[in-house]
Amino acid sequence: MKAMASARFAIVLIGLCAVSSCVLAQPTSRIWGGEETQKTDFTYVASVRLDGAHICGATIVGVKNILTAAHCVVEKDLVVSPSRLAIRVGSTNQFSGGKLVYVAQITVHPQYSGVKNNLAVLTLEDPLTWTDRISQIAIATTASEVPAAGSDVAVAGWGEQLNSDSAYKLNSYRFTVATEEVCKNAYSAVESKEFCLDHPLKEGSCYGDAGNGAVYGNKLVGVSNFVVGACGSRFPDVFTNVVEYAAWIQSVMA
């Protein structure tokens, strides 16, 4: 499912096209340049499904808590009904396997606006049961856990793929943390609450990859926010810095 973003920008923001309205050219075929994952590689990754279709990636951060981007669960400035959401966990196939679990409550960051404070915590109706394919990952809580420029960061998701042969399978990609200069050249309004992940041309996040988690040192450090330009453009991908929101995330989970 392709959806559209209500915010109007002079540049195309792929991350915001997960749920509302912008006109984008459809690429010929998810994380671009990624590799198909094995069933036990990314056991904390989840698929957010609106009205039965995958719209965004997400991360299991607690026995009843899923973290994703806020714009994935907001339509026309209103938070969608939890009854419209389902979360697939424990499978690399977005259409089958694992388990579908359901959402009791959606908590969007109180200062969410467009690409700012773009986080939401989904509270499940029932606690998850940990298996070899379903687990949680700890969130980074201190600045020392944030990767430095040049570090490799792992991201996995079900977004559009340049090669559609395995489009329904979870793909992973290793991004490189961009320097602050590169980040600000691409998006001048980036603050400490966001960071950029670099990638070669025709690689990186695409439609359906918003909300994906970025992992470094076995900690969740970022959530996919938006992309400047088309899929695989020369611009880095922008992620929300989880450390800056750790206290809020933990308070919602509590």
Side-chain angles (χ1 to χ4, degrees):
M1 168 181 178
K2 290 183 300 203
M4 305 179 144
S6 55
R8 297 187 178 277
F9 294 86
I11 54 177
V12 177
L13 303 181
I14 301 270
L16 291 181
C17 294
V19 179
S20 39
S21 136
C22 61
V23 179
L24 296 171
Q26 172 65 25
T28 55
S29 157
R30 286 179 189 235
I31 286 178
W32 280 24
E35 297 181 349
E36 187 175 322
T37 68
Q38 300 301 308
K39 293 178 180 179
T40 56
D41 287 346
F42 292 88
T43 53
Y44 50 81
V45 173
S47 165
V48 179
R49 313 185 71 77
L50 179 69
D51 300 332
H54 171 84
I55 54 165
C56 284
T59 305
I60 303 170
V61 293
V63 70
K64 290 185 71 174
N65 299 109
I66 308 292
L67 184 66
T68 190
H71 75 259
C72 298
V73 292
V74 173
E75 274 187 335
K76 298 179 181 178
D77 299 324
L78 296 175
V79 179
V80 303
S81 169
S83 65
R84 295 177 61 192
L85 294 181
I87 312 296
R88 188 177 298 282
V89 298
S91 178
T92 58
N93 185 330
Q94 67 152 297
F95 297 119
S96 64
K99 183 178 182 181
L100 279 178
V101 294
Y102 299 94
V103 177
Q105 182 176 333
I106 301 169
T107 307
V108 170
H109 193 278
Q111 277 80 53
Y112 163 64
S113 177
V115 297
K116 297 301 180 184
N117 308 303
N118 191 9
L119 289 178
V121 177
L122 312 181
T123 302
L124 302 178
E125 292 181 348
D126 300 301
L128 295 169
T129 299
W130 304 139
T131 71
D132 62 340
R133 298 185 187 180
I134 303 173
S135 68
Q136 72 180 74
I137 189 168
I139 63 171
T141 58
T142 64
S144 63
E145 295 172 302
V146 177
S151 301
D152 286 343
V153 174
V155 179
W158 286 273
E160 294 283 355
Q161 294 170 7
L162 190 58
N163 179 351
S164 62
D165 290 346
S166 60
Y168 61 95
K169 292 293 187 71
L170 183 68
N171 272 233
S172 66
Y173 187 84
R174 298 200 75 84
F175 290 86
T176 301
V177 179
T179 64
E180 185 177 352
E181 179 182 10
V182 167
C183 196
K184 287 190 175 294
N185 283 342
Y187 182 65
S188 60
V190 165
E191 303 171 347
S192 63
K193 290 187 176 183
E194 295 99 30
F195 61 84
C196 291
L197 295 182
D198 228 340
H199 54 82
L201 194 64
K202 295 187 178 180
E203 295 185 12
S205 302
C206 198
Y207 310 99
D209 280 323
N212 287 350
V215 172
Y216 177 79
N218 294 318
K219 294 285 183 72
L220 180 70
V221 295
V223 172
S224 183
N225 189 345
F226 67 90
V227 173
V228 179
C231 300
S233 77
R234 63 186 179 85
F235 299 105
D237 296 7
V238 181
F239 279 65
T240 301
N241 186 345
V242 167
V243 168
E244 296 286 339
Y245 297 90
W248 174 76
I249 295 168
Q250 291 170 331
S251 71
V252 176
M253 292 171 60

